[in-house]
Amino acid sequence: MTSPEPALHPVASTFVRRLHSVEDAAEVLSVGRTTAWQEIRLGRLRTVRSGRRRLIPTEYIDEYVELLKREAEAA
């Protein structure tokens, strides 16, 4: 007599992206790619470099959102 095999439960992989391309960050922020690059040039949206790529850490996206909120409150 064999015992029944235990039910296999797939492990849910929770992959959280921490670095975003400028295009992905623009999508997250609901702005266009051109606007994202303009905000980077103005120093309002910070980035990091990885080789030749310019990436935006999630915390910099959050900082940019907070900046926009502060500006909205001040207006």
Side-chain angles (χ1 to χ4, degrees):
M1 184 158 149
T2 60
S3 61
E5 291 185 31
L8 298 177
H9 299 286
V11 176
S13 174
T14 55
F15 173 74
V16 177
R17 184 181 306 224
R18 299 189 58 203
L19 291 172
H20 306 269
S21 67
V22 174
E23 290 76 15
D24 290 343
E27 186 175 330
V28 168
L29 292 165
S30 299
V31 300
R33 191 178 67 181
T34 303
T35 300
W37 279 107
Q38 181 178 8
E39 294 295 274
I40 290 166
R41 277 191 294 280
L42 293 172
R44 293 165 47 90
L45 179 56
R46 299 192 304 157
T47 64
V48 296
R49 302 271 316 195
S50 177
R52 295 181 65 188
R53 296 182 69 200
R54 187 171 297 275
L55 301 169
I56 305 172
T58 302
E59 55 266 23
Y60 290 178
I61 293 172
D62 295 339
E63 286 177 8
Y64 179 71
V65 170
E66 291 302 317
L67 171 67
L68 293 177
K69 288 166 56 176
R70 285 192 307 272
E71 290 177 351
E73 291 172 358

